[in-house]
Amino acid sequence: MKRVFSGVQPTGNIHIGNYLGALRQFVELQEENECIYCIVDMHSITVPQDPKELRKHILDVAALYMAVGVDPKKSIIFVQSDVSGHAELSWVLTCCSYTGELSRMTQFKDKSRGKESAPTGLFTYPILMAADILLYDTDIVPVGNDQKQHIEICRDIAIRVNHKYKNTFVVPDGRFLKAGARIMALDDPTSKMSKSAENIHSRISLLDEEGKIKKSIMRSTTDSDGEIRFDLEEKPGVSNLLNIYSAFSGESVDEIVVKYAGCGYGDFKKELATITQEALVPIKKNFNEIRQSEELKNILINGAERANTIAEKTMKRVKDNFGLGF
Ligand code: ATP
Ligand code: LTN
């Protein structure tokens, strides 16, 4: 059995990009692996958060994990700040990483561009993420494509530590899906679909109403040549819609292109809207039930206990290998 770990930030607006790139893999992997799924609240405070909203979003993400099919009987679901090992290991790893490699992270460059100074937490974000992963002797990390660089630096740090301090860590691998690994914004198919974009029609959130889903898809940016075919360079908008269609329907992009040969964008978009609405109906229904249930907090408390048992073992090994304590 392999150990799987992943996390989602509790920042609201969980969208179909998060679902198709990451959450969908969580469900699939839990059948044959030991899976640990975290709500990474400490990552979310790298940018300012409203405390009340943050608490609400933590429970929202926990409920969404389960609504899409993560089963707390099979997988561990817990909140990052409930297990102190994340912060503890993060410091140890901070001492094993370099400002040069952190400065090269595209996420940091994007978020600090044009500013004279940026929050230190944004700079050290990848170290906390490496701590999340290495704390659980993780073999596989299911994430979207945008996390490739973060997985790479985590591996580099693990290999570096293993070299110096015996074999302390398991070196993990990222797992990226073909269809869905990078869902682009509906209003601008050259940038990734994001929780924080101002235009609500740039994304489809998992809890969006049917009318909103249709509106966002119908007004999505395409092009003027009118042909439905996959071409990321020339036709990024249509290609993104084809990817979404394929990820939700299970049909290959080639099959979909044949099916819609000679059709206009309008009909294609209408059917994509229907497929998307249908896929999200059960998720919304499950979410509403789970979010209101008394059980939700107990699941997180139990998850944190189970996660902590694994984390404590790793921290003991880290302290022994580094010579910390006595
Ligand atoms: P955003 O940029 O939308 O604010 P994020 O990547 O910062 O999102 P997370 O909630 O931590 O936020 O992401 C959860 C998971 O969703 C990660 O595995 C990430 O790779 C994946 N993901 C995020 N956006 C997309 C996307 N547009 N397409 C595919 N996967 C995505
Ligand atoms: N940086 C990730 C969220 C994240 C994560 C993790 C993902 C934090 N820690 C550990 C996988 C494993 C993102 O999607 N923005």
Side-chain angles (χ1 to χ4, degrees), residues 5-7 9 40 43 125 129 132-133 141 143 147 150:
F5 182 96
S6 194
Q9 299 189 66
V40 289
H43 276 98
Y125 181 112
M129 177 160 164
D132 297 341
I133 297 167
V141 188
V143 277
Q147 296 301 310
H150 286 156

Coordinates of all heavy atoms in Angstrom, one line a residue, residues 5-7 9 40 43 125 129 132-133 141 143 147 150, ligand 2:
F5 N -0.8 11.8 0.1 CA -1.1 13.0 0.9 C -1.4 14.1 -0.1 O -0.7 14.3 -1.1 CB 0.1 13.4 1.7 CG -0.2 14.6 2.6 CD1 -0.6 14.5 3.9 CD2 -0.1 15.9 2.1 CE1 -1.0 15.6 4.7 CE2 -0.4 17.1 2.8 CZ -0.9 16.9 4.1
S6 N -2.4 14.9 0.2 CA -2.6 16.2 -0.6 C -3.4 17.2 0.3 O -3.9 16.8 1.4 CB -3.4 15.9 -1.9 OG -3.3 17.1 -2.7
G7 N -3.4 18.4 -0.2 CA -4.1 19.4 0.6 C -4.8 20.5 -0.3 O -4.4 20.7 -1.4
Q9 N -6.4 24.6 0.1 CA -6.5 25.8 1.0 C -8.0 26.1 1.2 O -8.7 26.1 0.2 CB -5.8 27.0 0.3 CG -4.3 26.7 0.1 CD -3.7 28.0 -0.4 OE1 -3.6 29.0 0.4 NE2 -3.2 28.1 -1.6
V40 N -5.4 22.9 4.4 CA -4.2 23.5 4.7 C -4.4 25.0 5.1 O -4.1 25.9 4.4 CB -3.1 23.4 3.6 CG1 -2.5 22.0 3.6 CG2 -3.6 23.8 2.3
H43 N -1.4 27.5 5.3 CA -1.0 28.0 4.0 C -1.9 29.2 3.6 O -1.4 30.2 3.0 CB -1.1 27.0 2.9 CG 0.1 26.1 2.8 ND1 0.2 24.9 3.3 CD2 1.3 26.4 2.2 CE1 1.3 24.4 3.1 NE2 2.1 25.2 2.4
Y125 N 6.4 29.5 1.8 CA 5.2 28.7 1.5 C 5.6 27.3 1.0 O 5.1 26.3 1.5 CB 4.3 29.4 0.4 CG 3.1 28.7 0.0 CD1 1.8 29.2 0.3 CD2 3.1 27.6 -0.8 CE1 0.7 28.6 -0.2 CE2 2.0 26.9 -1.2 CZ 0.7 27.5 -0.9 OH -0.4 26.9 -1.4
M129 N 4.8 23.4 2.6 CA 4.2 22.4 1.8 C 5.0 21.1 1.8 O 4.5 20.0 1.9 CB 3.9 22.9 0.4 CG 3.4 21.9 -0.6 SD 2.6 22.6 -2.0 CE 2.5 21.2 -3.1
D132 N 4.4 19.4 5.0 CA 3.1 18.6 5.0 C 3.4 17.2 4.4 O 2.9 16.2 4.9 CB 2.1 19.3 4.0 CG 1.7 20.7 4.5 OD1 1.9 21.0 5.6 OD2 1.2 21.4 3.6
I133 N 4.1 17.2 3.3 CA 4.2 16.0 2.5 C 5.2 15.0 3.2 O 4.9 13.8 3.4 CB 4.7 16.3 1.1 CG1 3.7 17.2 0.4 CG2 5.1 15.0 0.3 CD1 4.2 17.8 -0.9
V141 N 1.7 12.4 -4.4 CA 1.0 13.6 -4.1 C 0.1 14.0 -5.3 O 0.6 14.5 -6.3 CB 2.0 14.8 -3.8 CG1 1.2 16.0 -3.3 CG2 3.0 14.4 -2.8
V143 N -2.0 16.3 -7.4 CA -2.2 17.8 -7.4 C -2.4 18.2 -8.9 O -2.2 17.4 -9.8 CB -1.0 18.6 -6.9 CG1 -1.1 18.7 -5.4 CG2 0.3 18.0 -7.3
Q147 N 1.2 22.8 -9.4 CA 2.0 22.5 -8.2 C 3.3 21.8 -8.6 O 4.1 21.4 -7.6 CB 1.2 21.7 -7.3 CG 0.0 22.4 -6.7 CD 0.4 23.7 -6.0 OE1 1.2 23.7 -5.1 NE2 -0.2 24.8 -6.4
H150 N 6.4 23.1 -6.9 CA 6.4 22.8 -5.4 C 6.8 21.4 -5.1 O 7.4 21.1 -4.1 CB 5.0 23.2 -4.8 CG 4.8 24.7 -4.8 ND1 3.5 25.2 -4.7 CD2 5.6 25.7 -4.7 CE1 3.6 26.5 -4.6 NE2 4.9 26.9 -4.7
Ligands
LTN2 N1 0.1 24.5 -2.5 C1 -1.0 23.7 -2.7 C2 -1.8 23.3 -1.4 C3 -1.0 22.4 -0.6 C4 -0.6 21.1 -0.8 C5 0.2 20.7 0.3 C6 -0.9 20.2 -1.9 C7 -0.4 22.8 0.6 N2 0.3 21.7 1.1 C8 0.7 19.3 0.4 C9 -0.4 18.9 -1.8 C10 0.4 18.5 -0.7 C11 -1.9 24.4 -3.7 O1 -2.6 23.8 -4.3 N3 -2.0 25.7 -3.7

